[in-house]
């Protein structure tokens, strides 16, 4: 996921375990990454990485990207008032890019978090004076093997993948 100027941040990367031949299709466990913070002067908080679903980024102006499910990437967030650019949707293994600033270079969207499927990127705000804020990225989805447990993430802090031998 992208990370651009004016305070926006890319979403977190996923942690995964794979079996040979080690491609995306060979992941057996995935701990999703949370979504990225939107840029601007307002507080746009990234969506948390989730188990079946990631959460949507919380944003007051540009709309937050959608959290991913275990079947689909999250939708990109629309821009504020239809101005600027929308966030890109998440895809398998990758969060969507946040919307880029196209009006006043103030408030780009944050990138979506990676995961089994990635969260959508946040949309931009296209306003010339404060307060303004780009949308935060949505969280990715995790994958837990049969019999495993999954605990949804938080909006900040490190991602953790714990394996306990039984």
């Amino acid at each position: 996921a992208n990370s651009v100027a004016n305070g926006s941040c890319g979403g977190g990367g996923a942690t995964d375990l794979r079996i040979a031949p080690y491609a995306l299709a060979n992941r057996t466990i995935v701990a999703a990454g949370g979504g990225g913070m939107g840029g601007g002067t307002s507080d746009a908080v990234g969506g948390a990485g989730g188990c079946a679903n990631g959460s949507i980024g919380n944003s007051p102006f540009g709309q937050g990207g959608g959290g991913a499910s275990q079947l689909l990437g999250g939708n990109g967030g629309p821009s504020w008032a239809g101005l600027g650019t929308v966030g890109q949707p998440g895809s398998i293994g990758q969060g969507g890019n946040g919307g880029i600033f196209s009006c006043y270079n103030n408030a780009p969207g944050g990138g979506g978090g990676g995961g089994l499927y990635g969260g959508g990127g946040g949309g931009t705000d296209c306003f010339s004076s404060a307060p303004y804020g780009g949308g935060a990225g949505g969280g990715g989805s995790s994958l837990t093997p049969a019999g495993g447990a999954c605990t949804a993430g938080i909006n900040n802090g490190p991602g953790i993948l714990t394996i306990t031998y039984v």
Side-chain angles (χ1 to χ4, degrees):
N2 70 341
S3 178
V4 291
N6 298 315
S8 77
C9 299
T15 299
D16 64 42
L17 268 73
R18 302 178 190 197
I19 57 174
Y22 310 112
L24 280 176
N26 303 106
R27 296 181 293 172
T28 59
I29 301 173
V30 180
M37 179 181 74
T41 60
S42 63
D43 294 325
V45 179
C51 297
N53 297 293
S55 66
I56 296 174
N58 179 13
S59 307
F61 297 105
Q63 298 296 304
S69 75
Q70 291 184 332
L71 301 174
L72 293 171
N75 291 325
S79 60
W80 183 78
L83 304 170
T85 59
V86 299
Q88 298 300 304
S91 59
I92 189 163
Q94 183 171 331
N97 289 334
I100 58 172
F101 41 74
S102 59
C103 300
Y104 300 102
N105 296 343
N106 287 333
L116 175 63
Y117 285 91
T124 62
D125 187 0
C126 208
F127 195 65
S128 63
S129 61
Y132 48 81
S141 62
S142 296
L143 171 64
T144 305
C150 181
T151 303
I154 56 174
N155 289 332
N156 55 37
I160 298 171
L161 174 63
T162 304
I163 300 173
T164 305
Y165 177 75
V166 178

